[in-house]
């Protein structure tokens, strides 16, 4: 389900804002399509084709321990298999069918931008704040990367973002049956994309709960009934997914590490002393790849990996003249304590410069997001004393979504204290919250003249640097 024209704010953005939003969308879509076109389907963090292949071979959802990625909920794999079946029936060869399956995450990434735009336009924000936040979303390097990588991540981002938009739309329209039906369907699909996507349930409950408390959006009885109707299908499908897991593996939501490498977990090999308290952005700016000085700082790594290819998937194409260094780097990155660190002298000045620039520019949206979070918790839209009760209800989901994804990654890293657990892709399910809170922060700072001008400059610089970086990767991959 994609946004329709009537989902804009009643007054709509002004002509200049419409032009900016359109330009950001066009360039953002183009960057994702270009990177997807040149990226080999196998250049990914994990093999997400295997569950699709197993489904095609058997016609059934594979067992959780049938392959490394089979533990995931099945929505992405089953829907991809249906698309591959259709393409094959139309005469597509196996390589073409594989690239078509690879195209689905790119499609989901593009649709996420469209729904984010619709969500921002439903919030009561000035054009400046809307354009700033949407530009960040369109040029966010990690989202561009993931739209070109075959995985089940972008469908999860799309599901969470669409759930947020539909929840806001339902409150705006008095909880109409059709809006609740769409919300129920999307919630049910979303919770079957990734474990991290289950955060949509407390997210929806937060907004409906605040609306119930302040008696806005719909009568209280209708709000309670609407929330129940929206969430019950998702809870049912989750129970159906979890029941065989408990029966066969003793856990409702087992991980692949627990299924395949419990002995490794028990041995303690490769475990690291992760720093859950520190935040040292200067270390990632100075060295924009995972390195001894930055890889054990949880928040530094999670934040920096949003803005650059810190665990390189694309840099080997832009810095290809040092294959021995890349081999040594991968050995160090995936090895145990004591493997030699090869240093970063082999990285080109461009990689160091553009990486450090993008990571540094990422501090600006991060600061805006924190300002927006403060405004939601204790400022203008605090649920306890809001200036606008309906807007507070619609925004109540954003802190809950933020807290949910952050708590999820914290628990994951605490349970599995390894560098590979610190993936920004796990917290990008909070994308609608991050972007909405960025808009609230931009709205606050726009009132100060010099801050507004500095924010415009930083946002433009982020867009330009991100575009230059992605185009450089595209050209390098074409040459390769």
């Amino acid at each position: 389900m994609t946004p329709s024209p009537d989902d804009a704010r009643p007054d709509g953005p002004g002509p200049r804002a419409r032009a900016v939003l359109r330009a950001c969308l066009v360039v953002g879509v183009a960057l994702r399509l270009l990177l997807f076109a040149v990226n080999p389907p196998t250049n990914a963090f994990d093999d997400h084709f295997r569950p699709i292949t197993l489904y095609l071979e058997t016609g059934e959802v594979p067992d959780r321990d049938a392959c490394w990625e089979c533990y995931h909920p099945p929505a992405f794999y089953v829907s991809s298999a249906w698309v591959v079946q259709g393409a094959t029936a139309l005469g597509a060869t196996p390589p073409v069918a594989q690239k078509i399956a690879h195209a689905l995450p790119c499609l989901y990434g593009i649709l996420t931008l469209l729904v984010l735009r619709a969500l921002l336009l439903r919030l009561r924000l000035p054009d400046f704040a809307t354009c700033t936040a949407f530009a960040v979303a369109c040029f966010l390097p990690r989202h561009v990367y993931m739209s070109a990588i075959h995985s089940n991540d972008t469908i999860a981002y799309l599901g969470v973002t669409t759930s947020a938009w539909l929840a806001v739309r339902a409150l705006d329209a008095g909880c109409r049956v059709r809006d609740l039906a769409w919300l129920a369907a999307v919630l049910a699909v979303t919770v079957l994309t990734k474990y991290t996507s289950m955060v949509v349930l407390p997210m929806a409950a937060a907004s409906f709960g605040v609306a119930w408390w302040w008696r806005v959006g719909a009568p209280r009885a209708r709000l309670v009934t609407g929330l129940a109707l929206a969430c019950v299908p998702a809870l049912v499908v989750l129970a159906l997914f979890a029941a065989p897991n408990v029966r066969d593996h003793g856990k409702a939501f087992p991980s692949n590490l627990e299924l395949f490498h419990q002995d490794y977990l028990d041995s303690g090999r490769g475990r690291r002393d992760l720093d859950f308290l520190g935040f040292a952005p200067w270390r990632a700016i100075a060295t924009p790849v995972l390195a001894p000085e930055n890889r054990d700082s949880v928040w530094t790594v999670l934040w920096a990996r949003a803005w650059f290819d810190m665990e390189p998937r694309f840099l080997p194409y832009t810095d290809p003249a040092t294959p021995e260094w890349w081999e040594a780097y991968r050995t160090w990155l995936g090895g145990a304590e004591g493997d030699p660190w090869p240093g970063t002298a082999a990285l080109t000045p461009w990689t160091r410069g553009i990486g450090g620039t993008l990571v540094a520019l990422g501090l600006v949206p991060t600061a805006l997001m924190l300002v927006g979070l403060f405004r939601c918790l204790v400022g203008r839209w605090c649920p306890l004393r809001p200036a606008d009760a309906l807007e507070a209800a619609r925004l109540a989901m954003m802190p809950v979504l933020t807290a949910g994804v952050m708590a999820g990654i914290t628990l994951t890293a605490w349970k599995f204290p390894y560098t590979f657990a610190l993936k920004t892709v796990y917290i990008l399910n909070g994308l609608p919250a991050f972007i909405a809170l960025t808009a609230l922060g931009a709205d606050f700072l726009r009132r100060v003249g010099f801050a507004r001008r500095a924010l415009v400059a930083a946002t433009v610089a982020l867009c330009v640097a991100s575009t230059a970086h992605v185009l450089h990767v595209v050209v390098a991959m074409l040459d390769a």
Side-chain angles (χ1 to χ4, degrees), residues 209-357:
V210 173
W212 177 89
W213 179 259
W214 290 107
R215 301 175 185 267
V216 293
R220 279 185 164 181
R222 191 175 184 87
L223 287 167
V224 172
T225 304
L227 180 62
L229 292 175
C231 292
V232 164
L235 294 172
V236 170
V237 297
L238 270 183
L240 293 175
F241 172 77
N245 294 345
V246 174
R247 180 192 65 218
D248 299 333
H249 307 292
K251 292 186 177 182
F253 307 111
S255 72
N256 47 9
L257 281 172
E258 293 167 326
L259 292 173
F260 291 98
H261 295 303
Q262 188 61 52
D263 57 338
Y264 178 80
L265 297 176
D266 293 339
S267 72
R269 296 192 302 273
R271 296 170 70 92
R272 308 196 62 82
D273 294 326
L274 298 179
D275 177 11
F276 287 87
L277 300 178
F279 179 58
W282 56 89
R283 295 178 182 170
I285 294 171
T287 309
V289 293
L290 294 180
E293 61 265 30
N294 61 38
R295 75 167 180 172
D296 294 335
S297 175
V298 172
W299 304 115
T300 303
V301 171
L302 291 174
W303 163 78
R305 290 185 68 175
W307 307 102
F308 195 61
D309 193 20
M310 291 279 291
E311 184 182 345
R313 288 287 142 188
F314 302 101
L315 295 187
Y317 292 91
T318 62
D319 297 41
T322 54
E324 297 82 6
W325 183 88
W326 283 114
E327 183 177 352
Y329 179 81
R330 292 190 186 97
T331 300
W332 170 81
L333 191 62
E337 197 74 34
D339 284 327
W341 163 242
T344 57
L347 296 178
T348 63
W350 168 263
T351 295
R352 288 170 169 273
I354 197 66
T357 298

Side-chain angles (χ1 to χ4, degrees), residues 47-70:
D47 182 6
H48 288 272
F49 286 109
R50 184 59 180 160
I52 300 171
T53 302
L54 290 174
Y55 182 86
L56 289 171
E57 290 173 351
T58 64
E60 298 178 352
V61 175
D63 293 335
R64 308 295 180 257
D65 55 359
C67 71
W68 183 250
E69 294 301 322
C70 288

Side-chain angles (χ1 to χ4, degrees), residues 6-202:
D6 66 343
D7 289 326
R9 290 171 295 185
D11 52 343
R16 181 178 297 179
R18 285 198 299 269
V20 171
L21 293 173
R22 189 180 304 114
C24 289
L25 179 63
V26 169
V27 179
V29 169
L31 292 178
R32 285 159 177 79
L33 288 174
L34 286 171
L35 191 57
F36 151 74
V38 300
N39 188 41
T42 54
N43 183 32
F45 290 109
D46 295 290
D47 182 6
H48 288 272
F49 286 109
R50 184 59 180 160
I52 300 171
T53 302
L54 290 174
Y55 182 86
L56 289 171
E57 290 173 351
T58 64
E60 298 178 352
V61 175
D63 293 335
R64 308 295 180 257
D65 55 359
C67 71
W68 183 250
E69 294 301 322
C70 288
Y71 78 99
H72 283 296
F76 172 72
Y77 306 110
V78 172
S79 59
S80 296
W82 292 344
V83 172
V84 170
Q85 282 179 327
T88 304
L90 294 174
T93 62
V96 172
Q98 184 186 45
K99 193 62 178 178
I100 290 173
H102 180 203
L104 292 177
C106 185
L107 173 64
Y108 300 142
I110 291 170
L111 290 176
T112 300
L113 295 183
L114 293 173
V115 182
L116 272 174
R117 180 181 182 275
L119 175 63
L120 286 171
L121 291 179
R122 275 202 169 267
L123 301 177
R124 296 170 187 169
L125 293 168
D127 290 345
F128 175 79
T130 300
C131 291
T132 300
F134 190 62
V136 172
C138 289
F139 293 90
L140 180 63
R142 179 53 54 186
H143 192 261
V144 178
Y145 301 152
M146 298 314 298
S147 297
I149 289 176
H150 186 260
S151 75
N152 59 349
D153 293 290
T154 52
I155 190 175
Y157 308 156
L158 174 61
V160 176
T161 304
T162 305
S163 298
W165 167 60
L166 287 172
V168 170
R169 174 173 167 158
L171 291 176
D172 285 348
C175 292
R176 296 176 300 190
V177 173
R178 67 177 184 180
D179 292 327
L180 294 172
W182 275 112
L183 179 58
V186 171
L187 288 176
V189 173
T190 300
V191 297
L192 288 182
T193 56
K194 293 197 74 165
Y195 292 166
T196 51
S197 299
M198 298 174 194
V199 71
V200 293
L201 297 177

Side-chain angles (χ1 to χ4, degrees), residues 128 445-446 448-460:
F128 175 79
L445 293 183
R446 73 183 175 87
V448 183
F450 75 89
R452 180 187 179 107
R453 290 189 293 271
L455 183 52
V456 170
T459 305
V460 171

